[in-house]
Amino acid sequence: MSYHFNEIEAKWQKYWADNKTFKASNTSDKPKYYVLDMFPYPSGAGLHVGHPLGYIASDIYARYKRHKGFNVLHPQGYDSFGLPAEQYAIQTGQHPAVTTETNIKTYRRQLDQIGFSFDWSREVRTSNPEYYKWTQWIFIQLFESWYNNDTNQAESIDTLISKFSSEGNANINADCDDDITIFSSEEWNNFASEAHQNILLKYRLTYLAETEVNWCPALGTVLANDEIVNGVSERGGHPVMRKKMTQWSMRISAYAERLLQGLDTIDWTDSLKESQRNWIGKSVGASVTFNVKMTSEMLKQVQHDETQRHSELVSESHPHKIEVFTTRPDTIFGVSFMTLAPEHELVSKITTADQKAEVEAYITATAKRSERDRMADVKTISGAFTGAYAEHPFTKEPLPIWIGDYVLAGYGTGAVMSVPCGDQRDYDFATHFNISIPNIFEGVDISEEAYGAKDNVKIANSDFLNGMNYKKATKRAIYELEQIGQGEGKTNYRLRDAVFSRQRYWGEPFPVYYVNGMPQMIDKEHLPIRLPEVEKYLPTEEGEPPLGRATHWSWDTNINSVVSNELCHSALDAESTNDNGIYPLELNTMPGWAGSSWYFFRYMEDAANRGEAFASEDALNYWENVDLYIGGSEHATGHLLYSRFWVKFMKDRGFVNVDEPFKKLINQGMILGTSAFVYRVKLSVSSLGSYQPGDNEKQEKYIEEISSILPSIYVSENISKGKSLIEFDEFFKEKYINEYKTKEVLEKIELLKKNDSSLLGINIHASNINKLHVKVQYVNASDELDLEGLKNDGEFGEDFKDAIFIGENGEIIESDNDVYKVGREVEKMSKSKYNVVNPDAICEQYGADSLRLYEMFLGPLEQAKPWNTAGITGVHGFLKKLWKLYVDDNGLKVNDAEPTADNLKTLHKTIKKVEEDIENFSFNTSVSTFMIASNEFTAQKCTSKAILEPFLVLLSPYAPHIAEELWNRLGHDESISTATFPKFEEKYLVESSKNYPISFNGKMRFTLELPMDMSKEDIEKTVMAHEKTIAQLDGRTPKKVIIVPGKIVNIVG
RNA sequence: GCUGAAGUGGUGGAAUUGGUAGACACGUUGGACUUAAAAUCCAAUGUCCAUUAGGACGUACGGGUUCAAGUCCCGUCUUCAGUACCA
């Protein structure tokens, strides 16, 4: 009886589904364990072999934990809002909800066939209104909260309002916007409601702010950095500008310190924690204020402004100030210029008439560069002088104010004090523009480069800081700055507030409407606010987001419902004072990370009880947080940081009782694709010049005509390699062009030549070889291309139909006379590279258990690795051998034979190794261990049930279907998932002797079997007396003999 | 650029604390079985030298520490990921 994996797998998948084998319970005597995968985005391309890698690992762990007696929660769902569905909708007009539903069905079928132990009854989908209702609710809670730095947590906005009305805002220690005006309690109480709203918005944890975006005028939309290639949009190649836009932001910066501290409490890899630490980017230093020296021109402008709005009092002598943050206040006397980001608001106010043209040209040029470009490019130095000067706070010397795109507007204050002797970028800038580089380091040569180190140097040429080291000078500089009111010690974080608005359709709508431009939240009981229908998914002609196309997208506060825009107050008559209570709704939607920042809590609740809350208190208390989270490291600073932020916020407001969402986190490495390439020979027709006037034109016409009938030629990998283009052309001409396949072309030329003598000079040659991706499905394990398949491909078959293929041996392929080999290269697995391998064919051909084992066998979970199916026969062969260990032609072979010492040794060594491997997430080595064990049992002719039964339990997390089947055949009625993990016993592994490696000067020469309990002295005596030792030493006396009992012997000399 | 990883046979990888480098597989070669193929089984397989015995070299590159280095230290190179609106 042989191993019929397809039948077995279908049978057990049905059994698990019918019996709800993996349904988690919220009440149990067992300890809980929550294993979670990062949920997938259901893309149109379907699941590829990279997705299941992490899922298989977490599934092994979940199944292992069940064997170990835990109540395991192992759910799955879909991150189903996202850009690709929207792109597809724009192209095809299909509603994203429809394509998403189809994609989810495909994913589910593909996931089911791999045999995961998911509790599907708890599935979530972020695009489901019953789910995003709670995403909207959390957004409202953020809006209704402020961050109190005194209690170091978020509080209800009500506590802030009551403080305002009793004491004003002077003593409020909040994390809020910078432009706060001080008011008293009386003033607060007398402000109009609109002023109240305006002020509160500066304190809320989500607030409206002007932020810079990549605006693409041609597409009428905002682009992500990775949608921009070389400064133009990836789609269509349109220009992209930096532009300011009012958007929702999240005050994640309030949590910077707690996000940093929290890292010490969780079990994540050091590299991942380091990424987050760097992202948060805490730096301790000082903020310093520089006054701008006034010119008469500026004074006039300031006076003009003052008459326009007299509310704000400015210091008469220095209306313009530049605030900078520096980690090196000790180098304050090394400042020789200031640099502002080109977008800095002061730039337009201080630029002199002389410099105006240059500055404006520079700003325009900068607006075209992406932020990433500006950060990455340190080689080209650019900038412009504003013509204005700042004043050094101590020396009062004038410091020229420049703008330079190496300073980023969104980073810190968007301005730096430039200390060229201490910072390389400042140094390069100063050198480039001939700005002075004062040296403030004692005995340091700065003629070649800046001195960036803080240690082992004393400050010089710095007045009161002379002779001090970094630490002392920093302290003193801050003190002196405070004395003159131009600075203070400050801790800065690189972490910026997160922009939360997207100008997209396929995302959560905001539960927000606007009255006189002020945002208003919709009450919880009216949620969810569902996505409206639109006729197309593009921005409007006016550049509004796609929701601007919805005809019914206004909020009627009388009936609390979405109504037609025609009824809207502002639409009726802008001048009308007759407010009908119907207002426009927010047109932006939420970003991808909104729904994924809290989904792990939703799984905790049974689907049946999800109506009243995002999850019940009991469920939250029982499951607490995720014990093991597996996903890609590319989420290090996105999803994994935002989730931590939301969880901390929810904890502050009492909605959950954990501080961190994910206790332990493992990153799975990406599975890369092995792309396949064919080499297309580009044939060109050229002329050798003309003989008579007027020939050129004629020749061009002929060239065009001949070019159009040239065949496509593809050469095999071997032929394409290692030849220069000239050599290649020679080879090619000799072999093919003048021979047969281009015969038709040559005949045509001959014909034309007869009629026209000017054609004598026309010539065909191979001008280039292009590498083109082909679908990997047409390539076998030996890199040979299936030409028939390729030519019949539905998508690209036509391109290859009439092409000529030249094989490895240089033969034109007619049938089996030669083979075409493709070139191979490892790249990211992606649809556009045609290297996507999906698991369906593998499940079909080898089975899910083989796929699971193979994905684990590929290598360490956390490492990126290329996918290559060539090795899958190895693990499949193992499963077949394993089957034979239990079953032969007469049925079950397993009996009650007494296990031998060897049997027990193999079993227990396997238990030990597999258990250690699972605990260390080293799944690849377990697979080898199973193979070794199975080979040993086969060699031992083991049939003992006492051995083979526990061995199945060890295997079942990895290959659950075959394990269930054999377990069942051994006479069990219950699923193997209920079995207890076998217990390791040391006593079966005790060895009496050791095969010692005998090394000479560290090189192993031979081995020697010696008893384990032999003393050091006896080992030395035995080894030294050995004939091979004597031969090795060849009469020399060893200087030293090193013996590590149980390990090695090393003879030196 | 910055930040974080990785680099071992023809290929994927193993070597858990510094102690026999290449486990386990794939591939390749040879053999058995078969009319033949598939499947299965057996043997060899890091490179170079040598008939054998055996020897030399070998974990990206260049140094160092040590009786002993894939593993620790310093420097260099290459590849991959993230870099704030892809998910």
Side-chain angles (χ1 to χ4, degrees), chain A residues 17-312:
Chain A
D18 291 349
N19 292 279
K20 300 188 170 61
T21 308
F22 304 113
K23 188 163 170 21
S25 165
N26 281 10
T27 50
S28 170
D29 303 335
K30 297 173 181 174
K32 72 100 187 182
Y33 202 89
Y34 184 1
V35 185
L36 184 63
D37 297 293
M38 289 184 188
F39 59 168
Y41 173 78
S43 87
L47 202 71
H48 67 62
V49 291
H51 289 106
L53 182 74
Y55 305 159
I56 294 168
S58 65
D59 198 56
I60 289 170
Y61 205 79
R63 286 173 180 269
Y64 167 75
K65 279 288 180 184
R66 289 192 193 97
H67 289 306
K68 282 283 190 179
F70 287 82
N71 180 31
V72 172
L73 174 58
H74 185 39
Q76 188 57 284
Y78 305 97
D79 189 11
S80 46
F81 271 134
L83 211 45
E86 182 159 332
Q87 287 304 341
Y88 193 72
I90 291 169
Q91 284 162 25
T92 65
Q94 279 198 70
H95 198 289
V98 175
T99 52
T100 300
E101 179 70 34
T102 314
N103 295 348
I104 286 176
K105 282 215 176 86
T106 307
Y107 266 62
R108 178 61 192 273
R109 179 185 58 73
Q110 292 181 306
L111 288 168
D112 281 348
Q113 77 188 353
I114 303 173
F116 293 118
S117 64
F118 293 132
D119 175 359
W120 280 109
S121 72
R122 296 181 186 235
E123 183 202 280
V124 304
R125 299 178 186 187
T126 54
S127 62
N128 183 338
E130 286 315 306
Y131 179 85
Y132 69 66
K133 168 181 174 177
W134 296 101
T135 311
Q136 292 172 338
W137 178 81
I138 294 169
F139 174 81
I140 296 170
Q141 302 313 310
L142 282 153
F143 184 81
E144 300 294 354
S145 302
W146 65 293
Y147 201 87
N148 186 342
N149 280 329
D150 287 335
T151 57
N152 200 20
Q153 61 173 25
E155 292 179 11
S156 163
I157 201 80
D158 297 338
T159 67
L160 186 68
I161 295 170
S162 71
K163 278 180 198 237
F164 284 170
S165 59
S166 64
E167 54 178 89
N169 72 346
N171 294 320
I172 302 284
N173 183 9
D175 212 289
C176 57
D177 289 1
D178 295 329
D179 56 337
I180 295 291
T181 328
I182 302 296
F183 53 79
S184 67
S185 57
E186 290 102 80
E187 282 173 309
W188 171 261
N189 294 328
N190 290 325
F191 284 147
S193 145
E194 214 155 285
H196 281 163
Q197 292 182 38
N198 237 321
I199 291 166
L200 288 172
L201 202 49
K202 295 175 194 288
Y203 288 86
R204 297 181 189 275
L205 285 182
T206 185
Y207 60 98
L208 285 168
E210 287 241 299
T211 22
E212 288 232 331
V213 295
N214 300 312
W215 176 252
C216 179
L219 296 173
T221 189
V222 174
L223 299 177
N225 275 333
D226 57 62
E227 292 177 284
I228 304 168
V229 180
N230 301 325
V232 295
S233 66
E234 192 177 23
R235 281 175 290 134
H238 307 292
V240 179
M241 312 287 293
R242 304 283 296 166
K243 186 183 146 185
K244 287 208 165 166
M245 195 177 255
T246 302
Q247 305 192 85
W248 286 102
S249 271
M250 290 274 167
R251 220 178 284 282
I252 187 174
S253 58
Y255 284 86
E257 187 61 33
R258 282 169 65 190
L259 289 168
L260 191 64
Q261 298 302 327
L263 290 172
D264 296 335
T265 67
I266 47 182
D267 182 10
W268 294 13
T269 59
D270 287 336
S271 65
L272 195 80
K273 288 187 188 182
E274 199 55 29
S275 295
Q276 290 212 345
R277 280 195 194 103
N278 283 313
W279 190 258
I280 295 166
K282 180 179 184 175
S283 49
V284 180
S287 82
V288 185
T289 309
F290 288 78
N291 293 318
V292 177
K293 282 192 183 270
M294 296 305 286
T295 60
S296 54
E297 200 181 326
M298 276 187 228
L299 273 173
K300 231 187 276 166
Q301 184 59 39
V302 168
Q303 277 154 6
H304 174 76
D305 288 353
E306 284 311 292
T307 53
Q308 297 283 305
R309 53 176 177 106
H310 32 85
S311 60
E312 225 176 282

Side-chain angles (χ1 to χ4, degrees), chain A residues 469-514:
Chain A
N469 63 16
Y470 158 74
K471 230 176 160 179
K472 260 185 143 173
T474 300
K475 226 172 151 183
R476 178 69 186 273
I478 292 171
Y479 172 80
E480 296 289 343
L481 284 165
E482 280 170 356
Q483 291 306 299
I484 57 167
Q486 282 191 251
E488 59 184 343
K490 195 180 170 189
T491 300
N492 209 40
Y493 298 91
R494 200 176 76 102
L495 183 68
R496 311 203 286 246
D497 279 349
V499 180
F500 198 68
S501 297
R502 297 291 181 268
Q503 294 68 43
R504 313 280 190 196
Y505 176 75
W506 192 230
E508 298 86 348
F510 283 86
V512 174
Y513 60 94
Y514 290 86

